[in-house]
Amino acid sequence: MRIPMVDLRAQFLDIEPEIKEKLNEIIESTRFILGPNLDALEKEIASYHGVKYGVGLASGTDALHLSLRSLGIGQGDEVITTTFTFIATAEVISYIGARPVFVDIDPSTFNIDPSKIEGKITDKTKAIMPVHLFGQPADMDPILSMAGHYNLMVIEDSAQAFGAEYKGKKVGAFGDTGCFSFYPSKNLGCYGDGGMLITSKSDIAERAKSLRNHGSKELYHHSEIGFNSRLDEIQAGILRVKLKRINEYNRKRRDKALIYSERLKGLPLIFPEERPERHHVYNQYTIRTKKRDLIRNSLKDKSIASVIYYPLPLHLQEVYRDLGYREGDLPESEKASKEVLSLPIYPELTEGHIDEICEVIRKALS
Ligand SMILES: *Cc1c(COP(=O)(O)O)cnc(C)c1O
């Protein structure tokens, strides 16, 4: 693609000397697992969010998975989440033998509709798992007050929203845990797989640290069945270089989003809307239109990337057929899945590229 969804090379060239110096330092140190870079990164990310602990893990999926386990959720429990998200959000609920209970979205933000949560709470419900989809914070106030009222835990899937804020506070810092993915295309991405959970509760941090390392707190002493899910030193080192620039990267994403919305003004499209008191970090710039497929084809003809996040909500996925959902059950998500289109967005995307993309869309719609 001439204009890709993300251009990781452009970002790398900008920080190349610092990255290479970091890589050399780590390789020469021969400390590759559970070393000083992970230690420092966990402290830096915890402090960035104003929480006490960070636990570096092998992926964002593992951050969600080990959050559930550290919180003691398991067999027979129910966890409420949105149906309009990446499969990992629900998959981890299934890993532990719990049942995902899907809720519809607020169509203007694509995030879980808090007014539809209460009706799904049963005596088996243990947690709510909101997702800050595309970089826009979910509506945390009603979610937290409901969780407080029904004594539920909150696990934030912040995989797409590193640095996003709700009423001046960073997402990930609201729940019992906040979960991040450092998959290369995320706002803060490493050069492989990586993830982290953050929390202010020492018992949760300790349990997660044990679970990521074969259920051991002391070397070769195992108190429970754990996993091999550590964030390695090379990834941690790369993330430390990029963390210093994350606010700049997010600011640039916000600038590009603003330019898109200006250029597309007047066209029969719905643009992403930043809700008041929220700081959207645009992991995706996602428009809505009934002419989605037409636009997508026109872009493709000009070698411009676009992606449908997500073409099928989770309650209608084959893997969840046995949960018994049917088409029409969560109509806003089903409608969104037929109308959404995410356009290229990344800090290095040029204004010229945005002009070109918007021109193709304008022509397709004329
Ligand atoms: C990327 C992502 C994940 C999973 O992260 P990985 O690091 O790829 O395991 C989970 N939830 C959402 C919403 C994501 O976008």
Side-chain angles (χ1 to χ4, degrees):
M1 286 288 165
R2 207 165 38 78
I3 308 181
M5 288 301 284
V6 283
D7 186 348
L8 296 173
R9 186 163 175 79
Q11 190 183 62
F12 166 66
L13 292 176
D14 191 47
I15 55 177
E16 183 174 359
E18 219 178 312
I19 289 280
K20 288 192 165 162
E21 192 185 329
K22 196 52 153 172
L23 288 177
N24 270 335
E25 170 202 311
I26 294 165
I27 292 164
E28 289 190 19
S29 80
T30 70
R31 286 285 306 272
F32 297 117
I33 302 287
L34 297 178
N37 280 286
L38 179 60
D39 227 35
L41 179 73
E42 288 175 339
K43 291 193 173 83
E44 286 158 9
I45 288 185
S47 134
Y48 180 85
H49 288 91
V51 302
K52 289 200 183 129
Y53 309 101
V55 182
L57 300 164
S59 69
T61 305
D62 277 359
L64 295 164
H65 174 206
L66 298 190
S67 286
L68 289 167
R69 288 194 183 265
S70 300
L71 291 165
I73 300 169
Q75 201 70 40
D77 294 337
E78 292 179 359
V79 177
I80 291 174
T81 191
T82 165
T83 187
F84 197 66
T85 178
F86 180 54
I87 184 71
T89 314
E91 210 171 24
V92 296
I93 301 169
S94 306
Y95 284 176
I96 58 162
R99 181 190 178 91
V101 175
F102 294 117
V103 171
D104 211 354
I105 53 167
D106 170 347
S108 69
T109 62
F110 304 115
N111 283 325
I112 193 166
D113 181 343
S115 72
K116 297 190 176 139
I117 293 177
E118 195 163 21
K120 306 262 176 156
I121 296 175
T122 71
D123 53 7
K124 291 181 180 159
T125 310
K126 288 288 179 331
I128 306 173
M129 199 189 275
V131 179
H132 308 296
L133 199 71
F134 303 149
Q136 166 121 282
D139 195 3
M140 291 310 291
D141 275 351
I143 293 171
L144 292 167
S145 80
M146 207 144 10
H149 187 260
Y150 290 96
N151 199 21
L152 306 175
M153 290 172 273
V154 175
I155 297 154
E156 295 177 73
D157 182 342
S158 312
Q160 299 186 6
F162 197 102
E165 290 172 16
Y166 178 86
K167 301 193 173 174
K169 182 168 161 180
K170 295 248 166 18
V171 303
F174 290 90
D176 292 274
T177 69
C179 303
F180 297 99
S181 164
F182 305 129
Y183 186 81
S185 64
K186 301 291 161 90
N187 285 33
L188 179 64
C190 58
Y191 292 173
D193 274 307
M196 187 172 290
L197 73 77
I198 61 170
T199 182
S200 279
K201 298 185 170 160
S202 62
D203 53 332
I204 296 172
E206 231 176 89
R207 181 106 186 261
K209 281 189 175 179
S210 162
L211 284 170
R212 75 174 171 190
N213 199 24
H214 304 286
S216 103
K217 287 180 177 137
E218 188 191 335
L219 199 58
Y220 304 125
H221 290 71
H222 305 274
S223 52
E224 65 179 319
I225 296 296
F227 302 86
N228 176 348
S229 181
R230 300 160 303 224
L231 180 66
D232 70 65
E233 279 294 287
I234 287 184
Q235 302 307 337
I238 288 162
L239 287 164
R240 290 184 71 202
V241 172
K242 291 174 73 168
L243 180 64
K244 288 190 256 175
R245 298 168 169 86
I246 187 64
N247 289 344
E248 178 198 328
Y249 291 155
N250 282 340
R251 183 176 49 71
K252 286 182 174 166
R253 284 177 179 273
R254 287 172 57 79
D255 290 347
K256 313 297 164 183
L258 204 69
I259 299 172
Y260 263 123
S261 297
E262 272 171 21
R263 300 290 196 279
L264 293 172
K265 212 184 283 171
L267 292 178
L269 299 169
I270 299 170
F271 318 121
E273 180 193 339
E274 185 181 55
R275 281 300 179 78
E277 298 188 275
R278 286 180 228 188
H279 184 80
H280 191 324
V281 293
Y282 294 96
N283 182 250
Q284 300 299 337
Y285 183 89
T286 303
I287 58 172
R288 280 186 79 143
T289 159
K290 295 214 159 52
K291 304 249 172 76
R292 192 252 316 266
D293 297 329
L294 171 75
I295 292 176
R296 186 162 154 73
N297 287 331
S298 307
L299 291 169
K300 198 168 158 214
D301 285 344
K302 300 277 182 201
S303 203
I304 297 168
S306 65
V307 177
I308 298 166
Y309 296 118
Y310 295 93
L312 191 63
L314 299 187
H315 69 285
L316 299 179
Q317 294 283 348
E318 184 184 348
V319 66
Y320 283 132
R321 203 179 286 161
D322 62 346
L323 294 179
Y325 290 94
R326 267 181 287 165
E327 211 164 326
D329 283 349
L330 303 172
E332 290 298 350
S333 304
E334 292 167 26
K335 190 157 169 255
S337 69
K338 296 184 177 86
E339 297 179 358
V340 286
L341 188 65
S342 298
L343 303 175
I345 192 160
Y346 46 91
E348 303 78 12
L349 183 70
T350 67
E351 210 168 321
H353 281 150
I354 299 177
D355 283 336
E356 208 185 312
I357 294 164
C358 295
E359 201 40 47
V360 174
I361 295 174
R362 188 173 296 278
K363 275 203 184 119
L365 290 175
S366 69

